[in-house]
Amino acid sequence: MKVKGKEEVPRRSPAIGVGSAAAGKDEATIRKDNIDGALLAAGWERVIPYKRGEAVGTAAVEENPTDNGPADYVLYHDGEPLAIVEGKRPSLDPQNVVVQAERYARGMRGTPFSFGEYEVPFVYSTNGVKFWFRDLRRATSRSRQVSGFHTPAALRGMLGHDVAKAERWLRTTPIDHRYLRPYQKAAISSVEGAILRGKRKMMVAMATGTGKTVMATELVHRLLASGMFRRVLFLVDRRALAAQAVGAMAAFEAEPGLKFDRIYEVYSQQFRKEDLDEDAFDPRVLPNEYLTAPKAGRSFVYVSTVQRMRANLFGLEADEEETGDEDDLSDAVRLSIPIDAFDLVIADECHRGYNTMDESRWRAVLDHFDAVRIGLTATPAKHTMAYFEGAVFTYDYERAVREGYLVDYDPVLIESEVRAKGVSLKEGEGVSVVDTTTGEVAFEQLEDEIEFSTSDIERALTVPDSNRKIVREFLKYADEFERERGHFPKTIVFACNDLPHRSHADQLVEILRDECGRGDDFVQKITGNPTVDRPLERIREFRNRPEPAIAVTVDMLTTGVDIPSVEAILFARPVRSRILFEQMLGRGTRKCPDIHKDRFMVFDAVGALELFRNRSSFTAEPPSRPTRPLKDIIEAIDNNQDRKYNVKVLVRRLQRVNKRITREGRDALATFIPDGDIGRFAEHLPEMIERGFVTTMALLKEPRLQAMLEDYPRPPVTFIVANGPEDTVTSKAVFRTHDGRELKPEDYIQAFERFVRENPDHIAAITLLVNNPGQFTPAALEELRAKLAAREENFSEDNLRRAYDHAPTDIISMVRHAALGEELVPTHERVRRGLERVRAGLTLTPQQEQWFVLIEDHLSHNLLITKENFATIPFSRHGAWRKADADFGGNLEPLLKKINEAVIL
């Protein structure tokens, strides 16, 4: 039954504290302390006791009688009972209590509703901390955990939502958008099928560059058009990705002649004009009331960063660790956003969660909303798969390469002794010591030897010679690429950090500009650092213009940014997460027909390719754990939770403080600890806890002491610039096989030569080329190329040239070299020699000489020639086959056969 009710302005649920004292309260007191507050915060105007015959309007009525006993609460809107709430004390889990609320829903009488055996459409069970909800209108519905109560307007909107009509639309409307690729249509079909089966969490795993945003935009279009959902939150994790997503929706033609953002309202966070691509569109900033007071009949899409939405929900918080590449959220404000503000949430790049802090931030935002949640990612991890309850569709990188939608990469390993072994600075060696607070530099001579591990590089120390030599190795290949292709490969360089006064990104920019010698515009830094002017505009320039050709970044370009023209990636920062590694690698996988891109290069100076060579794409690695607050450790000890373990953790934490605290800090601690000797205090702490638990815990719980131990005076952080040490840096190309192995050049050549000699696949073209070259035809040449490239070792002509380090040679020369030991001959030389043998003894007319010039040019690019080639340019411009054959007296066909045989031999 559809009954229109007034719209309510929801209020944010307050934080509900549940301590040990609460466990002893009776249920009535718990309801007053916790559940009543949650109801009022959600917009239920009053919490009142039941009185027979009283008009209640919009209120939560306590102890409402039913035939099956009194319900703890009945939620009325415009006098109609929309939901029943069963409340329990915090010590009880409310999940299994839903059935009790359902019993009361069967026993309600005199309601305007009837859904099978139920007289009320919705039920809740809660202990004031956890909330469970079920829609009783369908027998197949599942109860689910929600983060609070829905607003009155939301329940009224659910009641009027014609889900069956929406389901019929999805089942009967074909997925036939003309711009979608087959796998994108399959992804949409899989998601819609999961929704129709009642799933509320799901994940789509599609390789970077395969068009997740386009697929998601058409998916949202269909889900909105069907009426299945009305309010969509599209979450990303970078402002650049938000701008890119809004632009993609504005450009997507959802219906003939109509862009997506002309059919539906599309909103975003605040952008500057320079953040956006040059294609004109007008991004609209979402009015706050769309979040705080959602209307049931209003349909829209909101694109936001997860960081901004988290700030809107929970307020701003300091990041655990900074790289100098974070988005600015200073204008984000906390809002009272109800759980029903969105009914569909799409989390793009949902793999984000390299540590538990990242993961918990994502989950807190997703879990706040009672919505269907769809995760999009190119790099599914097990913890992500678990949250979204599995992938409903997968389209991986290897398959996309096989089907021609993405390009593969050529790896180049750059080996640096500094990166592999660390640095040892000798006594008396001169170094520059940088004060990272002020930037002041002092030159000092070391009074003792210092060892720096590989993890210290670019954190505590930098070796400029190492960075310069790594850059030079990269440029050797980039310059060769430019000579062959006619343009410099657009390159992303991943730096360790962009922190003040020790920026690795700044150092790389300076070295690259110096070594390239093409001016500042050729190399640009693109990070979220405040020193970078308009970073989203820099991304747009990098995508759309020839310069910059090289972009140095930290995190800003790791995820989702679409720049198809990238042809090289340089890893100059260590990577320990496979998820992050695959995302970074994905910046180069997109095709770019405008520049005839068929592959890209990966330069690895940090051992990332080796580290992740044998790991599954569905990595089992858990997110790293952030540091627990000291207060939580002390509270755990006080409550005897894993006491022995937590005492050890606290001792280690205090010893760490002892190593970092200044004299000023020790003096301040003397108020609580004898002489401020935190090291001695930590050493004796286990014994103190055992002998005087209450006294010791009272000291540890002292708020002023805890504050001092968390925020204690530290000496200035210094950063060493070691100009003395010289690094040894080498590089070598490796060859990626179809089955994911990476072979060194010598191993690749050995595998190829063994394959040719043994010919285990019985390739006829190899047999002809080696044993009967006179019968080798252009068709056999094409068969040879195709079958060699299809081998798991990927014996493509380009790969074999690189392995032999003989760019001008050809597949015929390499196969005969492998089988017969013939020398590797450049293609133009092979053609010249063959034509000389054919011309010997012939007297050519001027017309025949002109044809021989064209034939030689064709052979230099194609090796063999047939009658059919004369129908193509440039032969067709000179009369094609008929004219050529006439000029050779009708004997051109046997002459071509003789030419082909001569070129092969």
Side-chain angles (χ1 to χ4, degrees), residues 168-186:
R168 284 194 301 272
W169 191 98
L170 291 175
R171 287 192 175 99
T172 59
T173 306
I175 304 169
D176 58 1
H177 195 287
R178 57 180 175 164
Y179 294 127
L180 291 182
R181 296 168 177 172
Y183 63 85
Q184 291 171 319
K185 295 178 181 179

Side-chain angles (χ1 to χ4, degrees), residues 654-797:
L654 295 178
Q655 292 290 12
R656 195 182 310 158
V657 172
N658 184 52
K659 293 177 181 179
R660 298 175 179 176
I661 195 169
T662 63
R663 165 65 70 116
E664 175 191 356
R666 288 195 299 273
D667 289 345
L669 282 175
T671 306
F672 305 98
I673 297 170
D675 301 323
D677 190 344
I678 189 68
R680 182 176 176 80
F681 178 78
E683 181 183 348
H684 293 284
L685 183 61
E687 181 183 350
M688 292 166 59
I689 289 175
E690 288 299 320
R691 292 187 175 183
F693 182 81
V694 174
T695 304
T696 305
M697 293 312 303
L699 173 62
L700 290 172
K701 290 189 292 182
E702 167 60 47
R704 289 179 299 160
L705 175 61
Q706 290 186 5
M708 291 175 64
L709 291 174
E710 289 280 16
D711 187 19
Y712 54 88
R714 297 165 173 83
V717 177
T718 57
F719 183 70
I720 293 177
V721 180
N723 289 303
E726 293 188 2
D727 195 8
T728 300
V729 178
T730 59
S731 64
K732 59 185 176 184
V734 293
F735 298 88
R736 216 172 96 82
T737 65
H738 289 313
D739 57 1
R741 290 175 295 142
E742 288 167 359
L743 302 178
K744 297 176 181 178
E746 57 270 26
D747 296 330
Y748 189 77
I749 290 172
Q750 186 179 44
F752 170 68
E753 293 182 349
R754 182 172 58 251
F755 176 78
V756 169
R757 288 193 299 270
E758 297 174 1
N759 194 9
D761 293 350
H762 306 290
I763 299 174
I766 292 179
T767 304
L768 284 175
L769 186 57
V770 173
N771 300 322
N772 194 5
Q775 300 299 314
F776 193 75
T777 63
L781 176 61
E782 291 308 308
E783 178 199 6
L784 177 65
R785 284 173 168 152
K787 290 193 173 181
L788 287 176
R791 284 283 303 175
E792 64 182 22
E793 294 89 348
N794 189 15
F795 293 134
S796 70
E797 199 163 0

Side-chain angles (χ1 to χ4, degrees), residues 507-560:
Q507 185 182 161
L508 289 174
V509 166
E510 286 301 305
I511 291 173
L512 283 160
R513 286 173 175 171
D514 189 38
E515 294 293 327
C516 291
R518 306 194 194 194
D520 284 5
D521 291 346
F522 193 75
V523 181
Q524 291 287 324
K525 180 174 75 172
I526 303 178
T527 70
N529 192 298
T531 62
V532 177
D533 182 41
R534 299 174 177 176
L536 299 195
E537 184 177 0
R538 301 287 83 77
I539 293 175
R540 177 166 55 81
E541 291 170 352
F542 184 54
R543 179 190 299 118
N544 299 332
R545 301 178 185 178
E547 291 189 350
I550 302 175
V552 179
T553 190
V554 180
D555 285 326
M556 183 164 274
L557 300 183
T558 56
T559 299

Side-chain angles (χ1 to χ4, degrees), residues 153 280 329 375 435 437 651 691 846:
L329 296 175
D435 185 323
T437 303
V651 168
R691 292 187 175 183

